[in-house]
Amino acid sequence: MQCCNCRFENMPGVAHCGRCGASLRLATAVIDVHPPRAGALRKRLQGALPGRRAAGRLSNAVRDLMRGVWNRVELPHSLLWPLPWILIPGWPQWSIGQRARGTLFLTVWLLCNLCGLLFFGGPLGNLLLGLGLACHAGSIIDLAFTSVAGGLARTGVIVGGMAITGLLVYRPAAWGIGQIVQPVVITAAAPPFLEPNDVFLYRPAADLPVMPTPGTVVLYNLSRADVASRTGGNQLRFTLEGMRIERVLATAGQKAAFAGGRLTVDGQPSPWLPLNPGRLPDNLTFELTIPARCCLILPTTSPQPELRGRWRQAGQIPEDPIWDAPAALPANSGRGGATTDARPFWERMSVVRVDAVIGSVFLRSQPLSRFERIR
Amino acid sequence: MARFDKLEIGSPGAEPQTGCSPAGEEHNATWWMKQADEQRRCGWYENALRYYSRALEEDKSQVAGWVGQVQMLIALDEPNEADLWSRKALELFPAHGDLLAGRAQARCRLGDFKQAFTLSDGAFQQEGNSAYRWLVRGEIQVAGAKDTDRHCFDKAQLVDADWLVPLEIALVYWHYERPGLGLPRAGRAIEAAPDRYYAWYVQGLMQFELGMNGPARKSLQMCLELSPQHRDAQQRLFELDNRGWSLRRAVRRLFRS
């Protein structure tokens, strides 16, 4: 019997060709000869979609890529979609046998991210985290160039991989970290406590108790105020605004008194002092009860005012507008309009509403030089 | 006389009998194959696919029928099904050159160029030669944006002088949106078979896409002369009369891409 596939002459009675293995009883075999067909709806949808060829090529490239990697990795089949390969840099390279390259990607990524978190908030930290991100992107690009054919498919894998990674890894990570800790970088000096480029990490106020306890160092918003002062015969106007870092000294309902450079709260000497006690005026004396939903913060970390031009003369710059202002009436307080509050200006700036607290500061770092826990 | 009219004793044009096809059914299968081929040459791929299936119902050992089915599925833009069907056919005819080429073409249409290359290599390693293997090879080159496609297609035309070969090459270029490259191939098909309306239609299609309104109108009218009921040609002519100016077509016409 001659094989219809390879024309090899086989012995009579054999079922399969001895050369190519084709069945010699095809003519009598029961085989469905009608091919499967694509559904009309599917074809219509494909036709309606723009760029369907490109989309088809792309989806097939991704599917084949994933299938190829899947076959080599032999992961448990409970993982239905091979996301982890893209989400972890270096893993795809490992799974297709390029272990050295995969290890390099993973190591660089881990190093960059760990060091970036170490210097979190500062320019160096941002640079390292950016490098980590670039390393991850490089892993996806490398995967696309080694395992996907065709420029369009490659571009699709790269763009899609990065989008998936950004949405599933970096965006949630940024959100999660932002819920736990956030950085603030000091730009203006307030010596001796604050130096430029200091990075403070703080826990957002959502994690704080309703009322911060005395001794907590907090980041808070200073209520905006325009201050008029007179120095050396010249009229000066300052605008106080922005965020400050200071220690909470007393909370609502407590009686705070300050005399002779010592603070007492409810009649007991307080272990706490402002962060820059040296900037308190020598003759500061007060006794006040902290109103509800407020806390006492003596602001000593305001940056020193800078004057331009002819005002920059020794002796003409006030030491600190907040503490110097009681001598003069404030021009206004809040957003315009004269105030009728008769309290001294420093007192109004020291009694801070709890709503203005942004978070509790717990760590200070000066990149590559020091780390200090704020107590 | 009438009593024996429908007896099938064989015909002069019948293929030589092979060991695995029982006598008596060969004629019918061949007839269906011819019908399928004729439909294919007219561009009626759905009908051709049906006729190939009918031929295989008569004789499953007709490898050309299996290959034709795979080719028709690809022509009907169903590469997934073509891939599946070619795998099934390859189980019956292991390592058949044209079936391997058919699967390579299906994989290529699915964007899997690597496997397409491997399958195409496998097809060439098998016995014999065919224009289809070279056509598929050329298609893989086109899909991979490599410039050796022309050599492969020329080789295909050398292997088989049938006018269908350059026409199918033109359709490959059409599939990959390169009507400028497909147009000369369609022209060759017309040179070889000026009486085939499908060749005129394909040429008109390419010219239409390139914005060559005059030649396209002429080709489509020629197609309608040969086949007055050709709806696609009528539709294209209608579009030709009603469409405006397009920068894309102008650029394509300029660079013949």
Side-chain angles (χ1 to χ4, degrees):
Chain A
M1 294 178 72
Q2 193 183 47
C3 173
C4 51
N5 187 29
C6 65
R7 308 290 172 192
F8 182 68
E9 282 293 345
N10 291 279
M11 293 292 288
V14 291
H16 292 90
C17 175
R19 187 180 179 191
C20 70
S23 172
L24 297 177
R25 293 172 184 165
L26 267 182
T28 54
V30 180
I31 300 168
D32 183 14
V33 293
H34 298 278
R37 301 301 308 277
L41 180 65
R42 192 178 122 196
K43 287 188 82 171
R44 203 175 302 148
L45 283 174
Q46 279 180 349
L49 291 173
R52 67 193 175 94
R53 284 176 193 160
R57 281 202 293 271
L58 173 64
S59 67
N60 282 303
V62 173
R63 193 183 58 197
D64 291 340
L65 165 71
M66 295 308 175
R67 192 186 294 153
V69 176
W70 179 270
N71 291 339
R72 287 170 189 169
V73 174
E74 293 180 1
L75 283 175
H77 287 272
S78 56
L79 292 172
L80 290 178
W81 210 64
L83 261 180
W85 298 316
I86 284 180
L87 301 187
I88 298 175
W91 195 348
Q93 284 77 14
W94 258 79
S95 46
I96 59 174
Q98 298 173 342
R99 298 193 168 194
R101 196 181 291 194
T103 309
L104 182 68
F105 272 120
L106 187 61
T107 310
V108 173
W109 182 73
L110 283 174
L111 275 176
C112 287
N113 281 323
L114 289 176
C115 295
L117 289 176
L118 205 60
F119 300 115
F120 184 58
L124 184 65
N126 293 341
L127 179 71
L128 287 166
L129 289 174
L131 280 176
L133 189 67
C135 176
H136 201 160
S139 164
I140 294 171
I141 292 168
D142 177 68
L143 177 69
F145 272 86
T146 50
S147 304
V148 181
L152 191 65
R154 264 184 206 148
T155 311
V157 169
I158 291 168
V159 173
M162 286 186 188
I164 289 170
T165 309
L167 286 173
L168 294 184
V169 177
Y170 290 100
R171 180 73 185 157
W175 182 83
I177 290 173
Q179 296 299 307
I180 300 166
V181 58
Q182 287 189 9
V184 59
V185 183
I186 303 301
T187 52
F193 186 72
L194 297 182
E195 297 292 339
N197 299 324
D198 272 357
V199 178
F200 285 85
L201 299 185
Y202 68 93
R203 293 188 196 93
D207 292 343
L208 286 176
V210 177
M211 181 66 71
T213 53
T216 310
V217 177
V218 294
L219 178 75
Y220 70 102
N221 267 319
L222 200 67
S223 57
R224 180 190 160 96
D226 290 340
V227 186
S229 179
R230 184 173 289 277
T231 306
N234 296 313
Q235 182 77 19
L236 301 176
R237 292 175 70 90
F238 300 98
T239 299
L240 295 169
E241 62 179 345
M243 292 187 291
R244 298 286 189 277
I245 293 175
E246 240 330 328
R247 191 187 303 281
V248 174
L249 299 172
T251 56
Q254 289 185 322
K255 277 188 179 175
F258 194 89
R262 304 197 66 171
L263 177 72
T264 54
V265 176
D266 290 338
Q268 300 293 323
S270 171
W272 309 112
L273 279 175
L275 293 175
N276 276 343
R279 291 183 70 178
L280 291 173
D282 295 335
N283 56 351
L284 181 67
T285 305
F286 65 84
E287 187 173 341
L288 51 90
T289 302
I290 313 301
R293 296 199 56 75
C294 292
C295 53
L296 176 68
I297 293 175
L298 296 177
T300 59
T301 55
S302 294
Q304 293 205 329
E306 289 183 10
L307 299 180
R308 296 193 194 95
R310 62 195 177 95
W311 303 108
R312 189 185 289 276
Q313 295 169 28
Q316 288 199 349
I317 300 175
E319 189 65 27
D320 197 329
I322 290 178
W323 302 106
D324 291 348
L329 285 173
N332 58 44
S333 181
R335 293 184 182 277
T339 178
T340 55
D341 196 338
R343 290 181 296 165
F345 182 67
W346 67 264
E347 188 181 324
R348 281 193 282 125
M349 301 305 284
S350 301
V351 178
V352 176
R353 288 188 62 81
V354 177
D355 308 341
V357 175
I358 297 170
S360 67
V361 179
F362 66 94
L363 190 79
R364 168 167 62 177
S365 74
Q366 185 86 37
L368 297 175
S369 59
R370 66 172 175 174
F371 292 93
E372 183 186 349
R373 188 169 178 200
I374 306 291
R375 293 177 189 277
Chain B
M1 179 66 183
R3 192 174 171 186
F4 301 103
D5 273 353
K6 293 184 180 175
L7 276 179
E8 293 170 357
I9 302 170
S11 65
E15 286 185 1
Q17 189 174 344
T18 57
C20 48
S21 57
E25 292 186 9
E26 194 181 43
H27 176 77
N28 278 345
T30 309
W31 189 83
W32 287 118
M33 288 293 289
K34 278 183 183 172
Q35 291 296 312
D37 186 57
E38 187 52 40
Q39 293 294 317
R40 181 179 178 175
R41 284 166 190 273
C42 296
W44 306 118
Y45 297 130
E46 198 72 52
N47 290 346
L49 178 62
R50 207 169 298 134
Y51 287 135
Y52 280 128
S53 300
R54 294 294 299 273
L56 289 178
E57 277 176 12
E58 301 297 330
D59 183 1
K60 297 176 189 68
S61 64
Q62 291 269 356
V63 189
W66 294 93
V67 176
Q69 281 185 325
V70 172
Q71 289 173 329
M72 290 309 99
L73 286 170
I74 292 168
L76 288 165
D77 210 6
E78 298 178 24
N80 276 313
E81 286 70 21
D83 182 40
L84 183 71
W85 201 242
S86 59
R87 268 188 288 161
K88 180 178 177 178
L90 279 166
E91 283 173 14
L92 302 174
F93 305 99
H96 189 276
D98 282 356
L99 281 174
L100 282 171
R103 182 149 186 241
Q105 193 177 18
R107 295 307 305 173
C108 181
R109 295 275 169 116
L110 289 169
D112 184 359
F113 305 128
K114 264 186 187 171
Q115 203 182 354
F117 257 118
T118 311
L119 288 163
S120 176
D121 283 343
F124 279 111
Q125 282 166 9
Q126 303 310 312
E127 276 183 13
N129 199 1
S130 71
Y132 183 54
R133 296 180 202 182
W134 283 105
L135 184 142
V136 171
R137 189 64 162 194
E139 174 168 345
I140 297 168
Q141 307 286 336
V142 175
K146 293 175 182 167
D147 51 2
T148 45
D149 57 309
R150 190 176 165 183
H151 165 75
C152 297
F153 289 140
D154 287 344
K155 191 79 181 170
Q157 285 181 240
L158 275 178
V159 171
D160 191 347
D162 190 351
W163 64 272
L164 192 61
V165 175
L167 193 76
E168 289 191 340
I169 292 170
L171 288 171
V172 166
Y173 279 125
W174 171 258
H175 179 82
Y176 292 97
E177 297 176 353
R178 311 285 295 275
L181 296 172
L183 186 58
R185 303 284 176 177
R188 283 191 205 176
I190 288 174
E191 281 172 20
D195 57 333
R196 305 303 300 218
Y197 64 85
Y198 187 51
W200 285 104
Y201 172 69
V202 171
Q203 178 173 274
L205 210 59
M206 306 267 174
Q207 290 163 336
F208 176 86
E209 193 63 25
L210 287 168
M212 302 161 72
N213 292 357
R217 186 173 283 107
K218 195 177 164 188
S219 298
L220 292 169
Q221 281 169 347
M222 196 65 195
C223 170
L224 283 173
E225 267 182 38
L226 295 167
S227 172
Q229 301 300 320
H230 201 289
R231 286 194 181 179
D232 288 342
Q234 288 171 349
Q235 176 66 25
R236 292 287 174 180
L237 265 179
F238 177 78
E239 285 177 27
L240 200 59
D241 293 333
N242 292 287
R243 75 175 176 181
W245 185 83
S246 156
L247 178 65
R248 185 178 176 222
R249 279 197 301 272
V251 171
R252 275 193 156 177
R253 187 181 174 185
L254 193 64
F255 294 102
R256 286 290 180 96
S257 61

